[in-house]
Amino acid sequence: GESVGLHLPTLSVQEGDNSIINCAYSNSASDYFIWYKQESGKGPQFIIDIRSNMDKRQGQRVTVLLNKTVKHLSLQIAATQPGDSAVYFCAERGEVTDKLIFGTGTRLQVFP
Amino acid sequence: SAVISQKPSRDICQRGTSLTIQCQVDSQVTMMFWYRQQPGQSLTLIATANQGSEATYESGFVIDKFPISRPNLTFSTLTVSNMSPEDSSIYLCSVAGVTDTQYFGPGTRLTVL
């Protein structure tokens, strides 16, 4: 398959460990945030979202934390598995628009 | 979530030609968008496809280069016109319904020689 994000920041974790992927967003007025996972040769896959009136949201094995004070978003993956290997993108949406602005992405590599 | 398909999945084209990419979704959606993802890069919004009217283009993208159609609530096309090697990218459509979440198609991988 085709490689996406050849020059992206890379996070390497051991299988079974927890992963934390960070994202700094740009617009203090953004009210909605999404994390996407993109595997090689595929389109971005929705993982989890959070609105600006929340600080934390949990899904299955994933947690998103939002710190509006410092405009920081993080994705925590519990018990990381080889299938979690991918490029992860955060995206923000402004208060009065439907458009998403994507971060630069982080490559997660899981080794045995 | 909606099931989104794109055609073609990939293509290799000669410079100066045009390619039309189709995006089909299995349910009616409110919003449809077209993105470009250049090699090793993040996603950049090209335009919002509006049903029955002209698309809304982002800065740096123009209708003459990227004409877009959206004849109904489930289908849209993006044409990459007069292609050059710099147009080699992954082109992605996304959709959003009554919720704010955008879901993406599998992408079209374009190589221009």
Side-chain angles (χ1 to χ4, degrees):
Chain A
E2 191 171 319
S3 214
V4 173
L6 296 175
H7 306 290
L8 294 174
T10 298
L11 174 65
S12 296
V13 299
Q14 189 165 25
E15 182 178 356
D17 287 352
N18 297 333
S19 303
I20 300 176
I21 301 171
N22 296 304
C23 176
Y25 63 92
S26 57
N27 186 355
S28 57
S30 292
D31 67 344
Y32 180 61
F33 305 86
I34 306 177
W35 280 101
Y36 289 95
K37 171 187 180 183
Q38 188 173 29
E39 296 174 279
S40 181
K42 297 183 179 180
Q45 175 189 355
F46 170 84
I47 301 174
I48 192 168
D49 58 0
I50 188 169
R51 298 191 181 278
S52 58
N53 61 352
M54 302 174 69
D55 297 321
K56 178 180 179 179
R57 190 162 187 230
Q58 288 184 294
Q60 186 176 16
R61 277 203 310 120
V62 294
T63 301
V64 55
L65 298 177
L66 175 62
N67 185 331
K68 295 179 286 295
T69 302
V70 294
K71 294 189 290 186
H72 183 268
L73 195 65
S74 69
L75 177 70
Q76 300 178 0
I77 304 174
T80 311
Q81 302 170 358
D84 295 325
S85 295
V87 176
Y88 289 80
F89 292 98
C90 66
E92 62 181 299
R93 190 195 68 179
E95 197 172 17
V96 292
T97 177
D98 295 310
K99 299 186 295 188
L100 291 180
I101 300 172
F102 280 77
T104 54
T106 298
R107 176 182 299 280
L108 176 65
Q109 293 180 331
V110 183
F111 57 93
Chain B
S1 62
V3 176
I4 306 161
S5 60
Q6 286 185 233
K7 290 182 182 179
S9 58
R10 60 175 66 237
D11 207 342
I12 300 173
C13 300
Q14 297 296 322
R15 69 173 66 207
T17 63
S18 297
L19 176 71
T20 295
I21 301 167
Q22 299 179 2
C23 178
Q24 178 77 54
V25 60
D26 68 345
S27 58
Q28 293 187 346
V29 292
T30 306
M31 307 292 291
M32 295 184 81
F33 305 89
W34 287 99
Y35 289 81
R36 181 175 71 184
Q37 186 174 29
Q38 294 178 303
Q41 302 293 320
S42 185
L43 284 77
T44 301
L45 181 64
I46 298 172
T48 303
N50 300 311
Q51 187 206 356
S53 64
E54 190 173 292
T56 304
Y57 289 85
E58 297 301 303
S59 176
F61 298 97
V62 295
I63 188 171
D64 289 346
K65 176 67 175 177
F66 297 101
I68 288 170
S69 77
R70 189 180 172 192
N72 56 52
L73 291 175
T74 63
F75 184 77
S76 179
T77 67
L78 167 74
T79 298
V80 186
S81 303
N82 188 24
M83 288 183 285
S84 67
E86 291 72 31
D87 294 320
S88 297
S89 287
I90 301 171
Y91 291 88
L92 295 146
C93 74
S94 74
V95 305
V98 295
T99 67
D100 298 316
T101 308
Q102 283 190 32
Y103 296 95
F104 283 82
T108 295
R109 285 141 192 84
L110 172 62
T111 301
V112 184
L113 303 177

